[in-house]
Amino acid sequence: MTETGHDPLETAKERMYRYQRAQRRREELQQRVNDHERRIIKLELELEAEQADVERLTKLTLANLFHTILRSKEEQLQLERQQVLNAVLALQTARQALEDTKADLHQVGDDLALYQHAEAEYNDLMAQKEAALRSKAALSPVLREMEEQIAEQSLLVKELSEAWRAG
């Protein structure tokens, strides 16, 4: 802890965490953008089909004559126009969702730019802290002992992994 009451290592760790969180959020938002774009394409095709249905009912065709004879042409035309309206609204909603997601993605990009050096800063501060600890004569033997234990445990993990794969 420094005299100002704030630990630069903790600050760097928090910045690194925010950077990693922003990376995960960017991946999620990119997937959502792709999903929205696929949905928009699907809705555009549906809208074209509904507009074609309305077009068929307004032109002189066999189906149009059939509906006119049965006196259901106006009802069918009204139904088709309602389906076109629904398709237009769904398409507008999907386009707005896409724009909102792209805006969120842009914000995450800003966050990533802000925190892009966080991991390097954290690693530098950790190296400085380790060097400071190593320079203290009283702690140096303790650190060497800990490093030896870590090395032994790493070897044990490696051997266990090899045995597990062999088994």
Side-chain angles (χ1 to χ4, degrees), residues 143-156:
L143 284 175
R144 272 194 293 275
E145 176 71 25
M146 292 172 96
E147 285 177 341
E148 289 174 10
Q149 289 176 357
I150 289 171
E152 288 174 13
Q153 295 299 318
S154 295
L155 283 174
L156 181 62

Side-chain angles (χ1 to χ4, degrees), residues 11-163:
T11 302
K13 190 175 189 177
E14 175 66 24
R15 289 173 52 82
M16 188 173 65
Y17 169 76
R18 288 181 184 201
Y19 180 75
Q20 291 167 348
R21 187 176 62 190
Q23 284 180 315
R24 289 188 303 271
R25 179 87 172 123
R26 178 184 58 186
E27 291 169 8
E28 172 194 328
L29 289 171
Q30 189 60 50
Q31 181 61 43
R32 286 177 50 195
V33 164
N34 294 339
D35 292 345
H36 287 311
E37 287 173 344
R38 283 191 296 274
R39 176 145 172 76
I40 286 171
I41 290 170
K42 179 183 172 200
L43 289 171
E44 286 172 342
L45 292 173
E46 288 177 14
L47 177 59
E48 287 177 19
E50 296 300 338
Q51 288 174 330
D53 289 344
V54 168
E55 199 61 34
R56 274 193 297 274
L57 283 174
T58 56
K59 290 186 176 180
L60 185 59
T61 63
L62 186 57
N64 187 356
L65 182 61
F66 177 72
H67 286 296
T68 302
I69 292 171
L70 295 177
R71 302 196 186 266
S72 64
K73 177 183 173 186
E74 283 304 316
E75 292 171 10
Q76 188 64 30
L77 186 57
Q78 186 65 21
L79 176 67
E80 294 299 336
R81 285 183 177 154
Q82 183 63 39
Q83 289 174 342
V84 167
L85 180 60
N86 289 341
V88 167
L89 291 174
L91 184 58
Q92 287 175 344
T93 302
R95 285 182 175 155
Q96 184 60 49
L98 175 63
E99 291 306 313
D100 292 346
T101 304
K102 283 183 177 180
D104 290 346
L105 190 58
H106 181 74
Q107 178 61 45
V108 167
D110 292 346
D111 291 347
L112 285 170
L114 182 64
Y115 299 121
Q116 69 182 348
H117 302 295
E119 190 170 352
E121 291 171 14
Y122 178 78
N123 291 335
D124 289 344
L125 289 170
M126 283 298 289
Q128 290 172 13
K129 188 173 186 174
E130 183 179 344
L133 289 173
R134 286 183 188 282
S135 68
K136 293 186 179 181
L139 295 177
S140 187
V142 174
L143 284 175
R144 272 194 293 275
E145 176 71 25
M146 292 172 96
E147 285 177 341
E148 289 174 10
Q149 289 176 357
I150 289 171
E152 288 174 13
Q153 295 299 318
S154 295
L155 283 174
L156 181 62
V157 167
K158 184 178 178 182
E159 288 176 10
L160 288 173
S161 294
E162 289 173 359

